[in-house]
Amino acid sequence: QPTFTGALFSTMAGVRPAEPSTLATLAMHHTLSWLLLSCSRWAVQASEPGNFDDVNHKPCELTKTDVNDFQRVLSSFLPAAEQICGVSKHGQPVASNIRKSLL
């Protein structure tokens, strides 16, 4: 018999226990964000001088700095999620004032 551990999410339609659709949404956000990062890296590399033919039309306005910033944002997702949920990626409780303030 599973027991309720108090992990709650606000879906803007009320506060409720974590549910499969919430977890699926988080998983989709994570996967598509990292896919976007990979595509961004490719686009920046393809836009480097010598990697495209039309000198007057650069294929991508993103820079390496933009891609690095995006990766820093994505890398902060797991620690932030652990603080919000109060549970580590290994299932261990995490003392979190953020979680307490959300309950």
Side-chain angles (χ1 to χ4, degrees):
Q1 169 95 3
T3 58
F4 177 65
T5 60
L8 301 171
F9 289 91
S10 174
T11 60
M12 304 304 239
V15 178
R16 61 191 69 190
E19 54 193 22
S21 61
T22 302
L23 299 177
T25 301
L26 288 172
M28 178 188 63
H29 176 275
H30 173 79
T31 302
L32 292 178
S33 295
W34 283 95
L35 176 62
L36 179 59
L37 176 63
S38 294
C39 292
S40 299
R41 276 196 188 121
W42 177 86
V44 167
Q45 184 179 19
S47 296
E48 289 178 352
N51 290 345
F52 58 96
D53 297 330
D54 184 357
V55 217
N56 298 319
H57 186 277
K58 186 177 176 184
C60 178
E61 294 299 322
L62 287 174
T63 65
K64 286 182 181 179
T65 302
D66 296 330
V67 173
N68 290 337
D69 286 344
F70 186 37
Q71 181 165 1
R72 273 191 290 280
V73 169
L74 291 182
S75 296
S76 71
F77 180 73
L78 178 60
E82 289 177 334
Q83 288 297 308
I84 291 168
C85 296
V87 178
S88 75
K89 66 181 179 181
H90 302 292
Q92 302 301 315
V94 173
S96 168
N97 289 331
I98 295 170
R99 181 177 181 275
K100 287 179 187 175
S101 73
L102 294 172
L103 293 178

